[in-house]
């Protein structure tokens, strides 16, 4: 048994438990601080292991470590680590959030995400997904005395359970009609002949369950409420690593076991992509809360990422992976700015609170401008390249409708991104925000640097994404 | 090589005074441009004389490559033949005199360096035009003088009327330029080259080429000739494209003298003469040239008889004299055309500068009705005006007599010259009349000017009077001295093949044998015109008012310049404005702006709908998910 392929996950899971025990025995006031640092250390070690761990299939075909999983797992670990850093200061300010379980839960969620990405069997997939989801349900409701946070957690949990039910039903149908849970064997079963109706309906259920996790329309309704209700440090996490993990999982499933049914599911993914693009372009226009705006904006980004999947080619997969990489940092950086929106110790969350940031805090305003322009797809920022590659992939696959709608959506979307820039620089200043903590500044600066200088590393990143896509499509 | 110095010295002067005028100051910019113009004039005259006296042969000075596209080839080069040399000499000398005159005239203006930069740039463009070795370089100079003309008419850009006049001149010239550009394109299409030598060598071979246009077979050379003439009409303000010239008087007076009398407006005539080897095989085009030229000569002269603005009278006179030159072209007497062009440059520049001197004396007043009795106050200017007037009216032995006589005689003999001949005879009478009307109204009779203005009437400074004297010498003696070379027995050696007269090679020799009455008629008509003016404005000053009342219709027609501006306004300008306004309001505001505005409204409306869907109700969210699932499955089952 080649257990070493799962070494990073095992190490991360064990350190999660160790950090938990350390937290229990740690002196009260400093426990959160301590566990956070330990968690960051664990994530760093795991990332190292991911890089050096050998590739291969293990556990009787249940699990795989390849270029694809390595690429995505590194993104996940980076996302989780930055989310923990973002929470360091924020959680201390909101008294009830500064509990040592917080980083531990994030570690478990990260383990779940890593398993999702490495899964080669529907059972492994489901286990990873649920581990991740359960941890996230809890952190969404982490501010347990806050009505909004509890509501968010509950909504997420109920709807998530519904999605899990759809997924499980789909998996069972797939198993029933193909006779296997293994990706490879399902793929082999679908290789010959016309697939039965039951199998493809099962596939639709699987797709529905998975796109819920990425909050693609029409399975997106939970995300604005959860984004808004959850503590902002949790929102930052929800918007970043889990989306990357779930989209990677979707890639793995659609290109793997269902790969031969491309002609069948292509239209579905197109529809979901278009619906997400439309929602992501239009709904944010009227928002007043910056967190809700980010929720809708991320629905739009998922729509773009799905364009690469809809292309159904290696270049499409590459494009989606690059899109995810750029998206992760833009989102974490923007949430860093949002977390910095704090006056006299209290968080403020409306867009108009950003007024005059250009004069009050030029550095922060510049960073936010970079993230907004990048999300709008302005060259030479990273967001431009993400969009460029998915559009190229869509056009190469002849998906003109999708590409045209994507371009129109990005034009409309530019409106609300630019509106934020306009508010920061041209609206009358309101009172300045509180001093931002060094940890926040670090995340914002790091994400900003990645976003601005992506153009320099675009070559190596693209090469890594191509290798990942090649590993997936084999 | 010295020929090239003559051409490029004005460019250097323009660049220096234009780019560094701020540091050089007014005096510095003037000095640089005038000195470089003197250099240009010296080298222009020397190189011209060397060629014309046979010291050096014809040829061209290669300057550099320009365009090589496929079979199309155009280079920068300076043609060096008798025609170019004559033009270069005239342009550099007259331009230098006007540069010097401008030092006095523009004294105290706010942007003197800019003025001198423009003047020198104009001179350069004009020299490029006359030394062009192919049609494209000629077009370059053509457009260059058009541009500078625009800049100089609108020189006082804070006056709305000057801006309007500048735009009018530019647009009118554009219409002509379209014809010219099409002509060049057809030349290239037909001959495969735009080099003069290549074209002229191939004309005979292409004589039978035809174009199929509008269902008719048109003689190719005639089509080209007419298109080129349309270009010439715009530049030389011939009937139809003439209204801009009178309005161009909004520019400073030296500009009127240099550009709108002596040089630029003659570019059309020069083009016709330069293309003489081709036009000789385009009989229809030549007939058109004759009809338009003759009509313009009379038409513009009649308007000149009723104008009261001193500069406008001379402007219409210019228009009329250009008609003479085209008449000469149409009968094949190209030499006479150039002869008149050169003589006209001298006496018309003299008249304009003298008018400028009068305006200067009258503190900017241009209306002749407010002048009168100036003869004793500014005697020098008065004498100069007489000299210019006598030359213009063609009274022997001044220069105008020789050149005008040659044209009239040639038109009498030339084929199809009947109509043109009558026109130019009539115009001769009118020319003398309006010139002396101008002199009498300005210098004689009661002093009608404002007492305050009249008290300040003074002779211009020497820097202005000097150039007048030089031009006057040219206007008095030029004709007699050059007659032999330009149109007399020495013309064949003088022109040395640069002008072609294959159709009627003997037209110039036959001039000498015209009937006696034709020989004397112009002089008699000129004297008659002077006499008429004397009667009307000196003996019976009440007569003009009586005539105006008696023949009210004709008077109104003349004072309104035959209502051409109003006609164009009704036919072109107002419909064009209406169309532009319609495109603006309907096309741009409603449709082009409407699409994004409607798109924005649609986006906001849809956003509102999407946001309303987001009610916060858990059950509804779950319901939407399931509906989504059902829809996906249905789509799947239907479309797979």
């Amino acid at each position: 048994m080649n257990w070493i392929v799962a070494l990073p996950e095992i190490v991360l899971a064990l350190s999660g438990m160790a950090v938990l025990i350390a937290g229990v025995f740690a002196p009260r006031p400093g426990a959160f601080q301590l566990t956070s640092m330990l968690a960051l250390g664990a994530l760093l070690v795991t990332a190292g292991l991911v890089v050096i761990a050998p590739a291969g299939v293990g556990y009787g075909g249940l699990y795989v470590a390849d270029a694809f999983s390595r690429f995505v797992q590194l993104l996940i670990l980076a996302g989780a680590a930055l989310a923990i850093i973002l929470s360091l200061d924020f959680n201390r300010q909101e008294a009830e959030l500064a509990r040592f379980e917080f980083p531990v839960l994030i570690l478990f969620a990260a383990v779940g995400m890593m398993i999702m990405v490495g899964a080669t069997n529907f059972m492994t997939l489901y286990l990873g997904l649920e581990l991740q989801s359960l941890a996230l349900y809890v952190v969404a409701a982490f501010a347990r005395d806050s009505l909004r946070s509890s509501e968010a957690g509950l909504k997420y949990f109920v709807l998530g359970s519904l999605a899990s039910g759809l997924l499980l039903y789909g998996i069972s149908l797939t198993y029933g009609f193909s006779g296997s849970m293994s990706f490879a064997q399902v793929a082999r079963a679908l290789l010959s002949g016309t697939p039965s109706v039951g199998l493809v309906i099962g596939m639709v259920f699987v797709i529905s369950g998975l796109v819920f996790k990425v909050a693609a329309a029409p399975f997106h309704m939970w995300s604005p409420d959860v984004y808004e209700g959850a503590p902002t440090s949790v929102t930052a996490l929800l918007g970043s690593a889990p989306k990357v993990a779930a989209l990677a999982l979707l890639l793995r499933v659609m290109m793997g076991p269902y790969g031969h049914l491309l002609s069948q599911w292509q239209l579905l993914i197109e529809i979901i992509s278009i619906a997400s693009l439309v929602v992501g372009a239009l709904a944010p226009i009227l928002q007043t809360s910056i967190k809700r705006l980010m929720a809708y904006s991320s629905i739009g980004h998922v729509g773009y990422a799905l364009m690469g999947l809809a292309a159904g080619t290696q270049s499409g997969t590459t494009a989606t992976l690059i899109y995810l990489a750029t998206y992760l940092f833009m989102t974490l950086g923007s949430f860093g700015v949002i977390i910095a929106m704090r006056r006299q110790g209290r968080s403020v969350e409306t867009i108009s609170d950003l007024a005059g940031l250009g004069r009050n805090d030029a550095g922060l305003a510049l960073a936010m401008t970079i993230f907004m322009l990048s999300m709008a797809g302005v060259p030479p920022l990273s967001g431009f390249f993400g969009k460029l590659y998915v559009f190229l992939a869509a056009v190469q696959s002849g998906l003109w409708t999708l590409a045209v709608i994507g371009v129109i959506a990005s034009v409309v979307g530019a409106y609300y991104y630019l509106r934020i820039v306009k508010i920061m620089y041209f609206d009358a200043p309101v009172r300045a925000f509180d001093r931002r903590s060094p940890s926040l500044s670090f995340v914002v600066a790091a994400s900003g640097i990645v976003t601005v200088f992506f153009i320099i590393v675009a070559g190596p990143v693209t090469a890594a994404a191509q290798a990942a896509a090649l590993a997936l499509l084999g | 090589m010295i020929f090239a110095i003559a051409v490029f010295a004005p460019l250097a002067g323009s660049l220096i005074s234009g780019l560094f005028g701020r540091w050089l100051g007014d005096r510095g910019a003037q000095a640089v441009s005038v000195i470089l113009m003197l250099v240009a004039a010296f080298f222009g005259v020397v190189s011209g004389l060397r060629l014309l006296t046979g010291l050096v042969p014809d040829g061209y000075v290669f300057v550099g490559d320009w365009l090589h596209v496929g079979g199309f080839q155009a280079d920068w080069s300076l043609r060096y033949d008798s025609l170019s040399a004559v033009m270069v000499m005239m342009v550099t000398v007259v331009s230098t005199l006007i540069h010097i005159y401008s030092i006095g005239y523009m004294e105290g203006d706010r942007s003197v360096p800019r003025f001198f930069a423009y003047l020198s740039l104009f001179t350069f463009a004009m020299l490029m035009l006359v030394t062009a070795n192919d049609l494209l370089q000629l077009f370059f100079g053509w457009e260059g003088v058009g541009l500078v003309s625009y800049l100089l008419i609108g020189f006082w850009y804070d006056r709305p009327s000057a801006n309007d006049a500048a735009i009018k001149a530019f647009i009118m010239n554009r219409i002509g330029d379209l014809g010219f550009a099409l002509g060049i394109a057809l030349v290239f299409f037909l001959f495969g080259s735009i080099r003069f030598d290549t074209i002229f060598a191939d004309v005979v071979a292409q004589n039978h080429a035809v174009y199929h246009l509008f269902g008719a077979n048109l003689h190719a050379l005639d089509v080209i000739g007419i298109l080129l003439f349309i270009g010439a009409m715009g530049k030389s303000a011939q009937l139809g494209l003439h209204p801009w010239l009178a309005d161009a008087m909004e520019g400073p007076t030296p500009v009127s003298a240099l550009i709108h009398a002596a040089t630029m407006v003659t570019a059309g005539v020069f083009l016709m003469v330069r293309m003489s080897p081709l036009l000789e095989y385009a009989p229809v085009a030549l007939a058109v040239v004759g009809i338009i030229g003759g009509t313009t000569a009379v038409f513009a002269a009649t308007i000149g008889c009723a104008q009261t603005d001193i500069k406008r009278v001379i402007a219409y006179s210019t228009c009329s004299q250009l008609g003479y030159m085209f008449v000469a072209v149409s009968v094949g007497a190209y030499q006479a055309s150039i002869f008149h062009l050169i003589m006209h440059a001298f006496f018309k520049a003299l008249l304009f500068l003298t008018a400028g001197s009068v305006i200067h004396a009258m503190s900017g007043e241009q209306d002749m009705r407010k002048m009168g009795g100036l003869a004793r106050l500014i005697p020098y200017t008065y004498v100069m005006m007489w000299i210019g007037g006598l030359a213009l009216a063609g009274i022997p032995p001044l220069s105008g007599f020789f050149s005008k006589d040659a044209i009239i005689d040639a038109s009498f003999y030339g084929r199809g010259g009947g109509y043109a001949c009558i026109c130019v005879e009539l115009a001769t009478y009118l020319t003398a009349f309006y010139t002396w009307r101008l002199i009498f109204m300005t210098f004689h009779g009661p002093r009608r000017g404002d007492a305050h203005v009249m008290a300040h009437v003074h002779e211009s400074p020497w820097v202005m009077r000097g150039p007048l004297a030089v031009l006057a010498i040219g206007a008095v003696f030029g004709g007699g001295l050059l007659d032999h070379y330009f149109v007399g027995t020495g013309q064949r050696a003088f022109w040395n093949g640069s002008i072609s007269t294959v159709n009627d090679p003997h037209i110039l020799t036959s001039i000498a044998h015209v009937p006696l009455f034709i020989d004397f008629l112009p002089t008699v008509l000129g004297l008659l015109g002077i006499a008429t003016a004397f009667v009307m404005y000196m003996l019976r000053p009440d007569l003009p008012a009586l005539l105006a009342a008696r023949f009210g219709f004709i008077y109104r027609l003349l004072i309104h310049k035959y209502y051409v501006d109003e006609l164009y306004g009704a036919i072109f300008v107002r419909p064009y404005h209406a169309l532009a306004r319609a495109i603006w309001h309907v096309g741009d505001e409603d449709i082009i702006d409407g699409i994004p505005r409607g798109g924005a409204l649609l986006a906001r409306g849809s956003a509102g709908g999407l946001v309303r869907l987001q009610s916060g109700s858990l059950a509804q969210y779950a319901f939407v998910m399931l509906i989504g699932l059902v829809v996906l499955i249905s789509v799947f089952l239907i479309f797979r």
Side-chain angles (χ1 to χ4, degrees):
Chain A
M1 189 163 90
N2 192 5
W3 62 270
I4 202 155
V5 297
L7 183 65
E9 290 83 348
I10 293 167
V11 169
L12 192 58
L14 288 176
S15 14
M17 293 173 211
V19 173
L20 183 61
I21 291 165
V24 171
F25 292 105
R28 244 356 52 169
F32 171 69
Q33 192 81 358
L34 178 74
T35 50
S36 296
M37 289 304 158
L38 290 174
L40 283 176
L43 289 170
L44 199 62
V45 169
T46 312
L49 288 175
V50 168
V51 173
I52 60 168
V57 181
Y59 305 96
L62 287 175
Y63 202 78
V64 70
D66 55 11
F68 178 79
S69 69
R70 197 174 294 157
F71 185 92
V72 180
Q73 281 171 346
L74 285 177
L75 286 182
I76 291 168
L77 291 170
L82 290 175
I84 289 177
I85 299 174
L86 280 181
S87 73
L88 277 177
D89 187 61
F90 181 84
N91 287 22
R92 245 181 324 188
Q93 303 248 9
E94 314 276 326
E96 58 175 340
L97 290 180
R99 283 196 296 265
F100 69 88
E101 293 93 340
F102 190 85
V104 176
L105 284 165
I106 293 182
L107 283 189
F108 287 137
V111 173
M113 292 183 232
M114 291 177 74
I115 294 174
M116 280 158 69
V117 176
T120 49
N121 185 296
F122 278 110
M123 220 60 239
T124 331
L125 178 161
Y126 186 72
L127 283 175
L129 193 63
E130 282 305 291
L131 177 56
Q132 177 233 218
S133 299
L134 285 169
L136 291 182
Y137 299 149
V138 178
V139 287
F142 204 71
R144 58 188 177 194
D145 295 335
S146 152
L147 200 62
R148 288 201 314 166
S149 176
S150 311
E151 184 191 332
L154 191 66
K155 269 184 188 162
Y156 193 20
F157 175 62
V158 172
L159 293 174
S161 309
L162 179 60
S164 290
L166 296 179
L167 177 64
L168 272 182
Y169 188 55
I171 290 174
S172 67
L173 280 173
T174 303
Y175 175 69
F177 283 91
S178 69
S180 174
M181 296 283 260
S182 156
F183 287 179
Q185 284 175 30
V186 172
R188 214 168 296 129
L190 293 177
L191 195 54
S192 52
T194 343
S196 60
V197 176
L199 189 86
V200 291
I201 288 182
M203 181 176 77
V204 179
F205 272 86
V206 170
I207 292 174
S208 304
L210 291 180
V211 296
F212 171 87
K213 296 293 174 192
V214 294
F219 305 95
H220 67 284
M221 311 271 300
W222 60 273
S223 86
D225 289 13
V226 173
Y227 268 54
E228 193 186 16
T232 312
S233 56
V234 176
T235 314
L237 175 69
L238 288 179
S240 54
K243 295 232 172 182
V244 174
L247 260 168
L249 178 59
L250 200 55
L251 279 176
R252 168 97 67 198
V253 173
M254 300 320 291
M255 306 306 288
Y258 297 132
H260 298 295
L261 299 182
L262 171 66
S263 57
Q264 314 262 346
W265 56 256
Q266 191 167 35
L267 180 64
L268 290 192
I269 299 293
E270 265 192 86
I271 290 173
I272 294 171
S273 171
I274 289 173
S276 307
L277 289 172
V278 169
V279 171
L282 296 179
I285 292 175
L286 292 179
Q287 299 304 323
T288 51
S289 158
I290 184 101
K291 281 164 80 177
R292 282 186 88 84
L293 184 137
M294 290 302 293
Y296 283 113
S297 143
S298 86
I299 293 169
H301 286 298
V302 166
Y304 290 112
L306 286 175
M307 280 171 81
L309 174 59
T313 55
Q314 191 192 330
S315 65
T317 308
T318 311
T320 299
L321 289 175
I322 293 172
Y323 200 94
L324 291 176
T326 62
Y327 166 78
L328 184 80
F329 291 99
M330 295 188 295
T331 304
L332 284 166
S334 328
F335 274 108
V337 177
I338 293 168
I339 287 175
M341 291 169 61
R342 183 177 275 285
R343 275 203 195 93
Q344 295 173 319
R346 295 173 55 83
S347 286
V348 288
E349 293 178 354
T350 63
I351 298 172
S352 54
D353 284 313
L354 284 167
L357 189 64
R359 250 168 286 174
N360 291 335
D361 189 345
L364 200 64
L366 176 67
M368 191 62 166
T369 305
I370 288 169
F371 299 132
M372 291 299 119
L373 292 181
S374 176
M375 286 193 182
V378 176
L381 303 172
S382 66
F384 165 73
F385 291 97
K387 284 199 171 65
L388 176 69
Y389 290 129
V390 294
F391 285 145
L392 269 181
V395 168
Q396 279 164 3
S397 297
L399 306 179
W400 284 100
T401 321
L402 189 56
V404 168
I405 290 177
V407 170
I408 293 174
S410 72
V411 171
V412 178
Y415 164 74
Y416 56 81
Y417 293 128
L418 290 178
R419 188 162 75 102
I420 291 178
V421 176
K422 173 245 170 196
I423 286 172
M424 288 192 300
Y425 284 98
F426 299 112
D427 281 10
V430 283
R431 271 176 308 144
F433 296 136
D434 298 347
R435 271 184 66 82
R436 56 179 198 265
S437 69
S439 57
L440 269 187
S441 305
F442 167 74
V443 174
V444 171
S447 309
I449 287 168
V450 171
T451 304
V452 172
F453 294 105
F454 181 82
I455 185 167
I456 295 171
V457 294
V461 173
T462 311
Q466 269 164 351
L470 191 65
L472 190 61
L473 292 161
Chain B
M1 191 58 221
I2 57 170
F3 197 56
I5 295 174
V7 173
F8 287 101
L11 177 65
S14 169
L15 290 176
I16 293 170
S17 56
L19 297 177
F20 308 110
R22 193 182 290 262
W23 292 280
L24 291 172
D26 288 3
R27 287 277 166 242
Q30 280 169 350
V32 166
S33 48
V34 169
I35 288 168
L36 282 164
M37 274 314 301
L38 284 168
V39 168
F42 176 75
F43 284 110
V45 171
V46 167
S47 63
L49 288 177
R50 274 159 60 91
L51 180 82
L52 294 172
T53 52
L55 275 178
V56 287
D58 283 5
Y60 64 91
V61 181
F62 181 78
V63 177
D65 291 342
W66 185 12
L67 291 172
H68 291 216
V69 182
F72 182 86
Q73 192 172 349
D75 291 321
W76 297 108
S77 51
L78 308 177
R79 194 177 173 88
Y80 192 42
D81 64 4
S82 300
L83 183 57
S84 291
V86 166
M87 292 298 287
V88 166
M89 286 161 75
M90 184 276 282
V91 170
T92 51
V93 169
V94 173
S95 178
T96 306
L97 293 173
I98 289 170
H99 269 75
I100 295 168
Y101 178 90
S102 301
I103 295 174
Y105 193 85
M106 298 305 285
E107 183 78 49
D109 194 87
R110 276 183 299 145
S111 32
V112 168
R114 184 163 64 94
F115 184 79
F116 279 85
Y118 286 168
L119 272 192
S120 292
L121 182 63
F122 167 80
T123 312
F124 167 70
M126 189 70 199
L127 290 171
M128 288 304 275
L129 193 162
V130 297
T131 59
N133 201 25
D134 60 37
L135 277 170
L136 199 65
Q137 189 184 330
L138 199 155
F139 192 66
F140 168 82
W142 186 272
E143 292 298 302
V145 295
L147 169 70
V148 185
S149 163
Y150 166 80
L151 293 172
L152 282 170
I153 295 171
F155 182 74
W156 287 312
Y157 52 79
D158 43 3
R159 293 186 191 168
S161 61
N163 283 324
D164 288 348
I167 291 169
K168 187 173 183 177
F170 203 69
I171 292 174
M172 287 264 172
N173 272 294
R174 274 287 80 60
I175 296 169
D177 292 348
L178 179 65
F180 188 13
L182 284 175
I184 295 175
L186 285 187
V187 165
F188 180 68
F189 187 60
L190 190 64
F191 295 97
S193 169
I194 52 166
R195 278 176 65 94
F196 290 134
D197 292 338
T198 320
I199 299 169
F200 298 159
D202 204 24
V203 168
V204 180
Q206 298 292 351
N207 194 14
H208 300 292
V210 288
Y211 291 128
H212 303 278
L213 276 179
F214 314 118
N217 284 346
L218 302 175
H219 183 216
L221 296 178
D222 270 327
V223 174
I224 290 171
I226 288 173
L227 285 170
L228 294 181
F229 178 57
I230 290 173
M233 279 172 71
K235 207 51 101 200
S236 294
Q238 291 300 288
L239 188 66
L241 295 177
H242 68 282
W244 68 268
L245 185 59
D247 287 7
M249 298 303 127
E250 286 291 341
T253 305
V255 171
S256 310
L258 176 61
I259 300 184
H260 305 119
T263 54
M264 183 188 87
V265 289
T266 62
V269 179
F270 170 78
L271 174 68
M272 294 287 106
V273 176
R274 174 56 88 201
M275 296 305 286
S276 60
L278 187 148
L279 288 175
E280 281 296 285
Y281 292 91
V284 178
L286 285 180
V288 172
V289 171
I291 292 167
I292 301 269
T295 313
T296 308
V298 177
F299 172 85
T302 52
I303 299 177
C305 294
Q307 295 301 308
T308 54
D309 183 310
I310 186 167
K311 279 177 74 181
R312 277 175 186 262
V313 173
I314 306 177
Y316 278 108
S317 163
T318 303
C319 203
S320 166
Q321 296 300 311
L322 290 164
Y324 274 83
M325 299 174 206
F326 282 111
V327 166
V329 165
S330 81
V331 295
Y334 304 97
Q335 296 89 336
S337 183
I338 292 294
F339 189 27
H340 194 51
L341 190 160
I342 304 287
M343 293 304 110
H344 176 258
F346 279 93
F347 63 70
K348 192 51 69 67
L350 175 63
L351 280 172
F352 259 118
L353 295 184
T354 312
S357 185
V358 170
I359 295 166
H360 193 75
M362 295 291 292
S363 313
E365 182 57 62
Q366 301 193 10
D367 192 337
M368 294 190 296
R369 286 170 299 187
K370 295 181 183 161
M371 297 177 183
L374 295 177
R376 282 174 196 286
L377 295 171
I378 42 175
Y380 182 87
T381 308
Y382 177 59
V383 171
M384 288 299 150
M385 190 67 97
W386 262 88
I387 293 172
L390 288 171
L392 172 60
I395 306 299
L398 279 77
S399 61
F401 165 74
F402 293 97
S403 59
K404 202 182 264 189
D405 217 37
I407 290 177
I408 293 171
D409 292 353
S411 73
F412 179 75
Y413 267 113
R415 79 211 117 87
Y419 172 74
C421 183
I422 294 168
C423 283
V424 290
E425 295 280 13
L426 194 55
T428 305
Y429 169 74
L430 292 169
T431 305
F433 171 73
Y434 65 65
T435 309
W436 263 268
R437 171 176 173 269
L438 184 152
I439 290 175
F440 291 142
M441 282 182 82
T442 309
F443 293 100
H444 294 276
R447 294 176 185 174
R448 291 181 296 272
D450 183 44
H452 187 67
V453 172
M454 295 305 285
H456 284 89
V457 169
H458 58 282
E459 198 66 79
S460 305
W462 269 110
V463 72
M464 287 167 73
R465 278 188 275 166
L468 293 184
V470 178
L471 288 169
I473 292 168
V476 173
F477 301 111
L481 286 175
L482 298 174
D483 187 52
H484 171 74
Y485 301 104
F486 274 68
V487 292
T489 45
Q491 62 95 1
R492 195 170 299 277
F494 180 82
W495 293 111
N496 194 16
S498 59
I499 290 175
S500 163
T501 47
V502 288
N503 278 335
D504 195 353
H506 305 298
I507 185 156
L508 289 175
T509 37
S510 56
I511 289 177
H513 310 297
V514 290
L516 208 57
F517 80 95
I518 288 290
D519 222 8
F520 282 110
L521 194 55
T523 310
V524 173
L525 286 170
L527 292 172
L528 214 56
I530 296 172
T532 316
F534 184 72
V535 170
M536 282 179 68
Y537 292 92
M538 295 296 288
L539 293 182
R540 294 277 310 275
D542 54 328
L543 209 55
L546 276 178
L547 283 173
R550 186 71 189 273
F551 302 101
F553 172 71
I554 295 175
Y555 179 70
R556 275 197 302 279
L557 206 59
L558 294 182
I559 203 113
H560 287 111
K561 307 155 217 159
Y562 293 94
Y563 294 99
V564 172
D565 280 333
E566 286 79 359
L567 190 70
Y568 283 178
I571 298 177
F572 301 114
V573 179
R574 248 165 292 147
Y576 182 80
H577 272 204
L579 180 69
R581 209 167 292 124
I583 292 174
W584 169 29
H585 285 305
V586 178
D588 196 61
E589 288 189 338
D590 290 356
I591 297 174
I592 308 238
D593 285 357
I595 290 169
R597 204 173 293 145
L601 281 178
L602 182 71
R604 204 168 61 188
S606 327
L610 277 174
V611 169
R612 265 195 300 284
L613 222 60
Q614 198 79 28
S615 62
S617 151
L618 194 59
Q620 192 193 327
Y621 291 0
F623 182 69
V624 170
M625 277 173 66
L626 294 179
I627 292 288
L629 179 72
V630 170
V631 168
L632 286 184
I633 290 177
S634 317
V635 166
F636 197 76
L637 293 178
I638 293 166
F639 289 104
R640 101 196 166 94

